[in-house]
Amino acid sequence: MLLLAAGLPVAGLLLAPATAWAILHPLFFVAFTLGAGLRLVAALTPREGVTPPPIHEADLPRYTIIAPLYGEADIAPDLIAALEALDYPRDRLQALVALEADDTATLAALHRLDLPSFIEVIVAPPGHPRTKPRACNVALELATGDLLTIYDAEDRPDPGQLREAAARFATGSPRLACLQAPLRIDVDRRFIPAQFGLEYAVQFEVVLPFLVRIGLPFPLGGTSNHFRIEPLKALGGWDAWNVTEDADMGFRLASEGYELGMLERPTLEPPPRNLREWLPQRTRWVKGYMQTFGVQARNPPHWRTGAAASLLLTLGVAIAAALLHGPMVAWTLIGGLGRLAGEIDWVTPLDLWLFGFGWIAAGLAAVVGGRRAGRPVGVRDLLIAPFYWPLHSLAGAHAIYQLFTKPHHWDKTPHRADHGARTGQARA
């Protein structure tokens, strides 16, 4: 159904361009207005700070960490160091490093380390699909904690993150099932890394806190989401066939009446350094968003819980933007310049207003998000952002192709052991 919805506009523009454009133009206008409006309202809404009292040492619950790795021999020592830095009683901490059976290099790298007693290396049995959520489900069967979180190989979580999550769960609603820690990208002034960092700042420091404040669910990030383990097991764990199992889980929890929240203590991550690293990752995200939207849109509980609005505003708008950013930016710029020259009249002043409104909303959200994340946002970053947005359409085209040809293929993001060169700092 989702593929049909994506294909019909293209077919219409090819067969009857004038009629198709008369229908699609207002739809595009509404989609981009919703996306820009969400960012503007979210940026103008103060973040609701929650500081629960700390839990007495003896009352801290058992905590399980799952770290799914594949092909991470170089960076495995950094992950172990990050886990050892966590401030949590070792007698109540379990870390399961989940590997694939054929990942002998990472297994050997871990065996060369003097692992602390709370860290256990497990190997998922051979099987399909070969995805991160499948490895997480294997580890979930062995989890002994009351609470559980996921960390990726490149993550550097704030040492106090587990204690904050435990305190929030202890004082929160019994229906609170998941707390997402903000993901913050290391500062890198190059084009792709800098714009990627701004995206994360907008998402995790502006949009998600706003959705939490108004009581709407959201797509979880791929790491540093902290769960009560009982609801997670009741749902059967993650969808092993979905390549953005994190986004899917947020809405699955909401459909069962559970609540989501945000933490204050962040996790630091490195950015993709160039287009070669960025494109496969973004392709997987867009493909997974399409999978999640198609599945969740058929879920009747969403229409009772109000999650449908958030599904549309987050995943729906993200998919539309990925597919349309490139064509719409080119169409608006060419039409705008042609209109100024008096030779083109198919771009209306309202279209130019929307482009300006979208840029202002995105810029304001980036400034607010950057301030909250402790990363600088300069005028240069805002001016070159419209050159970054069209790249999403390249990823969107790849995502549609993969949805037809290899829907469950997992594009692996390369990671390197270069943490010492990074300048980003965790804010306590």
Side-chain angles (χ1 to χ4, degrees):
M1 183 62 70
L2 190 62
L3 293 175
L4 180 63
L8 283 177
V10 176
L13 288 172
L14 292 175
L15 298 175
T19 302
W21 183 246
I23 297 172
L24 292 174
H25 183 236
L27 296 179
F28 294 165
F29 192 91
V30 169
F32 279 101
T33 302
L34 283 174
L38 172 64
R39 283 164 174 75
L40 181 61
V41 173
L44 296 175
T45 302
R47 185 166 55 181
E48 186 177 29
V50 180
T51 307
I55 300 179
H56 189 272
E57 194 85 1
D59 297 327
L60 285 170
R62 283 192 55 80
Y63 225 116
T64 294
I65 299 167
I66 296 177
L69 307 187
Y70 186 73
E72 301 288 9
D74 290 343
I75 206 171
D78 292 341
L79 171 66
I80 300 303
L83 296 181
E84 289 187 288
L86 292 171
D87 177 20
Y88 208 80
R90 296 305 188 246
D91 63 337
R92 268 154 286 172
L93 190 59
Q94 175 196 36
L96 301 173
V97 180
L99 305 180
E100 294 290 345
D102 64 345
D103 191 5
T104 56
T106 304
L107 182 62
L110 289 168
H111 281 168
R112 287 193 293 268
L113 301 175
D114 183 16
L115 297 179
S117 59
F118 73 91
I119 298 179
E120 178 184 356
V121 178
I122 65 172
V123 177
H128 294 283
R130 292 283 299 275
T131 59
K132 172 184 172 182
R134 176 181 176 268
C136 288
N137 286 337
V138 171
L140 181 61
E141 295 295 322
L142 305 174
T144 61
D146 305 297
L147 304 177
L148 178 146
T149 190
I150 304 292
Y151 288 135
D152 286 340
E154 72 277 18
D155 286 350
R156 286 161 294 146
D158 185 290
Q161 193 178 105
L162 300 187
R163 287 181 179 266
E164 182 194 0
R168 287 283 304 279
F169 279 122
T171 58
S173 163
R175 303 302 295 174
L176 179 62
C178 182
L179 292 164
Q180 172 70 58
L183 305 181
R184 294 180 183 165
I185 302 302
D186 297 321
V187 176
D188 187 327
R189 300 303 297 168
R190 291 174 294 177
F191 175 60
I192 292 286
Q195 292 298 316
F196 185 85
L198 288 186
E199 278 190 293
Y200 263 54
V202 171
Q203 178 76 350
F204 290 97
E205 312 288 348
V206 176
V207 174
L208 298 193
F210 171 71
L211 294 175
V212 170
R213 184 151 193 176
I214 63 176
L216 289 180
F218 53 85
L220 298 174
T223 176
S224 304
N225 24 62
H226 298 251
F227 299 93
R228 294 188 197 269
I229 201 165
E230 292 177 357
L232 186 60
K233 287 187 173 181
L235 289 178
W238 295 268
D239 181 355
W241 299 92
N242 192 319
V243 297
T244 53
E245 80 295 336
D246 43 352
D248 176 71
M249 179 57 72
F251 290 102
R252 286 175 63 200
L253 287 169
S255 72
E256 297 297 325
Y258 290 107
E259 300 172 4
L260 310 178
M262 290 288 296
L263 294 173
E264 295 287 333
R265 293 181 178 269
T267 293
L268 300 185
E269 291 190 344
R273 299 177 303 171
N274 49 49
L275 186 62
R276 180 177 295 180
E277 294 182 0
W278 179 92
L279 183 59
Q281 183 185 61
R282 190 54 56 102
T283 296
R284 176 171 58 82
W285 290 359
V286 177
K287 180 175 66 175
Y289 282 3
M290 291 176 178
Q291 292 172 336
T292 300
F293 190 89
V295 171
Q296 296 300 326
R298 301 196 304 268
N299 195 343
H302 288 324
W303 309 105
R304 298 196 303 269
T305 62
S310 184
L311 185 69
L312 178 62
L313 285 172
T314 54
L315 299 190
V317 169
I319 294 168
L323 298 176
L324 300 175
H325 257 312
M328 290 300 291
V329 167
W331 180 82
T332 302
L333 290 178
I334 293 172
L337 293 174
R339 188 177 184 87
L340 291 175
E343 298 179 0
I344 294 177
D345 61 0
W346 38 261
V347 174
T348 69
L350 199 59
D351 295 320
L352 298 177
W353 171 88
L354 177 60
F355 186 84
F357 173 63
W359 181 79
I360 291 172
L364 179 61
V367 170
V368 172
R371 185 179 69 245
R372 292 176 180 176
R375 63 179 297 125
V377 179
V379 174
R380 170 184 172 273
D381 298 312
L382 304 181
L383 291 176
I384 64 177
F387 298 97
Y388 175 74
W389 300 338
L391 296 178
H392 292 72
S393 294
L394 183 60
H398 277 237
I400 290 178
Y401 172 76
Q402 284 197 6
L403 206 56
F404 277 106
T405 60
K406 43 184 180 179
H408 311 298
H409 171 71
W410 191 280
D411 279 309
K412 183 74 174 63
T413 303
H415 301 120
R416 293 168 178 81
D418 58 355
H419 287 171
R422 296 173 190 162
T423 58
Q425 297 294 324
R427 184 178 63 187

